[in-house]
Amino acid sequence: MPGKHATFSPSSSPSWMACAGYINALNLLPPAERDISSAASLEGSCGHYLIANALEGGLLPSEFTGKKVHWDEDAAEPAVLVTEDLAAAADTCVAKVRERVTYYEALGFEVEMRVEQRVFPGKLFLAPTDECWGSGDVILIISRDNVVVMLEIIDHKLGSGVWVEANSSQLALYGLGVVAEVSSMHPDIWPTGGVRTTIIQPRHHLSNPDDPCRSHDWTRDDMELFRLEVSVAYEAAKKPDATRTPGEKQCRFCPYRAHCPELRAHALREATSIFEQVPVITGEVITQADEQLLEEQPYLQDPATLGPEKTKRILDATPLVRSWLNAVEAHAQKQALRGARYPGWKLVQGRRTYNFGDEEAVAKALQGSARTKDHGGKKLVKADYTETKLMSVAQIRKRLKPSLAPKTWAKVEAQIVETPGKPVLAPASDPRPEYK
């Protein structure tokens, strides 16, 4: 049986298809460093669980607002607080999937919906099933008279940071996986509709708020060309001496990027092309002569003096150089947590955050409560503590706390959940005490 993560997973295909050495590089890392988990990824996993639960007949995600959800009993990850924003995005995904099903049924098609369906695209390019597999969020098998006429693979993207195209290799691989399974039952699955891959991404600022869906239609020829492309990439990545190829897309989430000599060399080349004349300062103290040298040979130029060509070079180089710098910082912070020390730097406690553990309880405590007499004594109305949703802890503290009776504030304060800030590296001169 396949393990928790496939070696050649569809989700990591932007990396291993663009950088043949990606898989070998991961194998150079300790197992604990190969899987990068973050608050955003945990929230995404929780959101996917809520969507799947609703599509399989459970409660809507919004029913879990303000509650902590643990979506995988076998996993070590902590439970995630379902915020109103996450619940709204997940509700949107559920509604859009149901709209799709209704649309096809209205046209007279039969629709089979599969949720979190495991597929094995490697079957179509001779990869072992335990090496290349993934789980499609939603797969719609659309047929008429027991003949499949179209497949739609739907992927929920609950993040707001990275825009994902509907023709991504991840979704195309899911498409191959469904084709591999369905074609064994229905030899002629390409008569009209082909394969449609759809992204639903409600929280990204570029998405249409009314319809955050985008789709790409693949013909049979399109899918065959992609199958050949992924087959070549797979064979290249299997080689022991596979070449590592730096690039913004493949390096963005690569766990090995802080250690990658190819990325380091590429970043150095790009930086060298930007800083063509770097003045050499030899002493620890900058002398008057050094200051004159810096004035005569400024290697950090005023942007207004760069000119179009140099500006373009800097813009082109920035994402990858920034990626490497971020990787170095993340690696240093991880090592500092394990006891490493860097001259002039220290670990400090990051910024604390405050949220309400149960927003409904807060709203109930505030609803109809009277302000103190010295603040007019009037009862609170909903507009006093909500905008589009319940105000944040900071807003309620600032706007309402001074005017609330101690008994009312005690009820509100009882729902405040303080989350300690994560340790961060900071210069030794930072006034915050060193993290212990």
Side-chain angles (χ1 to χ4, degrees):
M1 288 294 292
K4 185 178 179 182
H5 298 291
T7 304
F8 293 88
S9 67
S11 59
S12 65
S13 60
S15 294
W16 59 262
M17 288 186 67
C19 175
Y22 172 79
I23 301 298
N24 290 342
L26 291 190
N27 291 331
L28 297 175
L29 294 172
E33 294 184 23
R34 295 175 194 171
D35 186 22
I36 299 178
S37 184
S38 65
S41 64
L42 292 176
E43 185 191 57
S45 297
C46 177
H48 278 73
Y49 164 79
L50 295 175
I51 294 167
N53 177 67
L55 291 174
E56 290 176 334
L59 296 173
L60 282 173
S62 53
E63 298 290 334
F64 295 89
T65 303
K67 300 175 181 177
K68 287 191 173 184
V69 172
H70 205 304
W71 64 95
D72 186 350
E73 295 299 330
D74 297 327
E77 288 87 357
V80 171
L81 177 67
V82 180
T83 64
E84 187 173 334
D85 186 46
L86 172 61
D91 272 358
T92 298
C93 291
V94 172
K96 292 303 175 183
V97 170
R98 289 174 174 168
E99 283 179 15
R100 288 308 233 231
V101 173
T102 301
Y103 168 77
Y104 291 123
E105 290 178 339
L107 294 176
F109 295 108
E110 297 97 37
V111 181
E112 178 186 351
M113 179 173 67
R114 300 182 181 182
V115 179
E116 293 295 333
Q117 171 74 41
R118 184 164 287 190
V119 295
F120 299 89
K123 290 180 179 179
L124 294 185
F125 52 89
L126 303 180
T129 55
D130 63 343
E131 279 195 349
C132 184
W133 56 269
S135 296
D137 292 344
V138 175
I139 295 168
L140 302 181
I141 301 177
I142 303 148
S143 58
R144 177 175 280 161
D145 299 327
N146 205 34
V147 176
V148 175
V149 296
M150 183 177 174
L151 303 171
E152 181 165 9
I153 290 83
I154 302 174
D155 198 54
H156 316 302
K157 298 298 183 187
L158 297 173
S160 59
V162 179
W163 176 265
V164 183
E165 297 292 350
N167 64 345
S168 71
S169 58
Q170 178 184 0
L171 268 71
L173 278 165
Y174 290 150
L176 285 181
V178 183
V179 169
E181 178 186 349
V182 176
S183 61
S184 62
M185 300 180 293
H186 305 274
D188 187 16
I189 68 167
W190 301 93
T192 52
V195 174
R196 172 172 292 168
T197 51
T198 298
I199 293 286
I200 307 178
Q201 192 171 8
R203 298 162 97 180
H204 199 283
H205 70 280
L206 295 178
S207 291
N208 181 340
D210 298 321
D211 187 16
C213 307
R214 47 191 176 276
S215 299
H216 182 82
D217 292 328
W218 302 75
T219 65
R220 185 171 190 165
D221 287 343
D222 292 335
M223 291 301 287
E224 176 60 17
L225 284 173
F226 176 77
R227 186 190 71 80
L228 293 173
E229 180 185 349
V230 75
S231 179
V232 170
Y234 170 75
E235 291 299 329
K238 292 284 287 183
K239 295 178 180 178
D241 59 347
T243 303
R244 289 192 287 266
T245 307
E248 181 187 357
K249 184 179 290 187
Q250 60 265 40
C251 293
R252 179 185 291 158
F253 299 117
C254 177
Y256 187 70
R257 60 182 182 166
H259 312 277
C260 181
E262 286 78 10
L263 175 57
R264 186 165 60 248
H266 184 85
L268 183 60
R269 284 194 299 271
E270 295 292 348
T272 302
S273 71
I274 294 170
F275 306 128
E276 293 170 346
Q277 292 182 323
V278 181
V280 178
I281 307 299
T282 56
E284 293 185 8
V285 179
I286 296 180
T287 64
Q288 186 174 357
D290 291 333
E291 290 180 353
Q292 184 176 352
L293 181 62
L294 287 169
E295 187 175 338
E296 293 172 354
Q297 299 183 19
Y299 63 98
L300 291 178
Q301 291 179 244
D302 182 337
T305 68
L306 291 172
E309 287 302 317
K310 192 162 188 179
T311 298
K312 176 189 180 301
R313 289 209 312 273
I314 293 173
L315 292 175
D316 290 343
T318 294
L320 200 55
V321 174
R322 181 185 290 138
S323 175
W324 180 73
L325 292 173
N326 289 342
V328 171
E329 184 177 8
H331 175 72
Q333 184 161 313
K334 186 180 294 183
Q335 295 305 309
L337 284 168
R338 295 172 179 172
R341 290 291 178 264
Y342 301 97
W345 291 83
K346 65 179 180 179
L347 275 177
V348 298
Q349 185 81 51
R351 183 180 176 184
R352 292 181 175 85
T353 59
Y354 299 89
N355 293 287
F356 290 119
D358 188 339
E359 294 186 353
E360 290 182 8
V362 175
K364 186 176 179 180
L366 293 173
Q367 187 176 11
S369 297
R371 297 179 186 268
T372 55
K373 290 182 180 180
D374 55 338
H375 286 84
K378 291 183 178 180
K379 288 189 174 183
L380 295 176
V381 296
K382 191 173 182 179
D384 289 325
Y385 52 86
T386 62
E387 290 174 339
T388 56
K389 57 182 181 179
L390 184 70
M391 291 178 184
S392 68
V393 173
Q395 289 172 316
I396 287 180
R397 272 180 171 156
K398 182 178 180 180
R399 299 183 190 183
L400 293 182
K401 182 182 177 182
S403 68
L404 294 178
K407 186 177 180 180
T408 301
W409 175 248
K411 292 179 181 178
V412 174
E413 190 174 36
Q415 298 302 326
I416 296 176
V417 177
E418 177 184 335
T419 304
K422 293 183 178 180
V424 294
L425 271 176
S429 57
D430 190 291
R432 289 172 288 183
E434 186 167 4
Y435 177 81
K436 302 295 185 183

